[in-house]
Amino acid sequence: MGDRAPSWAPPLLAVQFLTRLPVPVLARLTPTQASDGFTRAMAWLPAVGSLIGAFTAGVYVAAGLVWPPVIAALLALAIEAVLTGAFHEDAVADFCDAFGGTARGEEALRIIRDSRIGSYGALGLGLAVGLRLAAIVMLPADLAVAAIIGAATAGRLWAVLLAAILPPPVTGTGIAARIGGRMRWRRAAGAALLTIPGVLPLALLSPWSLATSMATGMVLLWWLARFLRARIGGSTGDCLGFAAYIGQLVVLLAAVAA
């Protein structure tokens, strides 16, 4: 067995990374292959995001047959959190705790690594989830499905793009340190191609909202990269997760405004 992961490994590693679904076949990889496969798996994050979004949208539609939209949306988000382990929600809380105040450098990195949630994190997470819930409820049923899937897809692309734009801090550890310094734009381009199927339904139903969210997303990503470079000198895994969640919000809010 070589050092390069087999072609089937990167998409399955992306599934393992973004969800709690067991992928026992990955135990066959050597540590070197797993490291190589994880780096290549970044391109598959939008595709896995599409699957997560389709699952969430399916729960929302099914629950809507029994309960009002607000309850259906809450159930969909709750069950999605079980599927993903509230992966990005945890990142939002950590990000808000670290940057809600004036902390910089090592102090900010220490806060973002702390598993405890403070007042900034609690408020930021509550507002983020509340905005997502409100946006889903406000959308017509057909557009809601397309928007949920499109947002889940585009949000993961945001994480990939931020990793390509901004490497981890010099003292960084964890997810961003594993992929950030080695992230290549060709993998980001591959992620962009794999984004197309997930956003296509929204593009057909509401092209203006998709175009608006993409344009807004590029501006916000540029600002976020500058902000993080100034505050901690790079991006961490929680920063990538925060970008993914905000990317979802931008798409959903644009769909509501269209």
Side-chain angles (χ1 to χ4, degrees):
M1 298 177 70
D3 291 340
R4 187 173 175 82
S7 58
W8 52 262
L12 292 181
L13 282 164
V15 171
Q16 183 185 64
F17 179 55
L18 290 180
T19 74
R20 285 182 166 178
L21 295 176
V23 191
V25 69
L26 293 175
R28 295 165 51 185
L29 300 177
T30 67
T32 304
Q33 288 178 322
S35 178
D36 170 71
F38 184 81
T39 303
R40 291 159 55 198
M42 291 296 289
W44 289 91
L45 296 191
V48 177
S50 299
L51 296 177
I52 294 171
F55 174 82
T56 304
V59 173
Y60 177 60
V61 171
L65 299 175
V66 181
W67 293 286
V70 172
I71 295 177
L74 277 171
L75 285 171
L77 295 181
I79 295 175
E80 180 195 88
V82 173
L83 174 67
T84 64
F87 190 43
H88 298 317
E89 288 81 359
D90 176 70
V92 170
D94 288 340
F95 183 97
C96 292
D97 272 335
F99 301 112
T102 59
R104 291 175 175 269
E106 284 299 324
E107 183 184 1
L109 288 171
R110 177 186 60 79
I111 296 172
I112 208 168
R113 296 184 192 119
D114 193 335
S115 60
R116 294 170 295 182
I117 297 180
S119 56
Y120 288 121
L123 179 61
L125 179 58
L127 291 174
V129 174
L131 275 173
R132 192 173 171 213
L133 171 69
I136 292 172
V137 170
M138 290 296 295
L139 290 168
D142 57 340
L143 186 55
V145 170
I148 291 170
I149 298 172
T153 305
R156 274 70 180 190
L157 177 63
W158 272 47
V160 176
L161 293 178
L162 181 60
I165 294 169
L166 192 63
V170 175
T171 58
T173 59
I175 295 167
R178 290 173 63 187
I179 56 90
R182 295 174 291 170
M183 186 67 184
R184 298 291 181 265
W185 278 106
R186 63 184 178 84
R187 291 199 179 98
L193 287 175
L194 289 171
T195 299
I196 294 174
V199 301
L200 186 59
L202 182 60
L204 295 174
L205 289 174
S206 183
W208 177 248
S209 67
L210 182 62
T212 301
S213 63
M214 291 301 176
T216 303
M218 292 303 100
V219 174
L220 287 177
L221 270 178
W222 172 81
W223 172 85
L224 181 60
R226 283 177 56 89
F227 174 83
L228 292 172
R229 186 177 287 113
R231 293 289 287 266
I232 59 173
S235 62
T236 69
D238 284 320
C239 297
L240 302 184
F242 175 83
Y245 206 89
I246 297 304
Q248 292 189 78
L249 284 178
V250 168
V251 174
L252 289 170
L253 292 174
V256 173

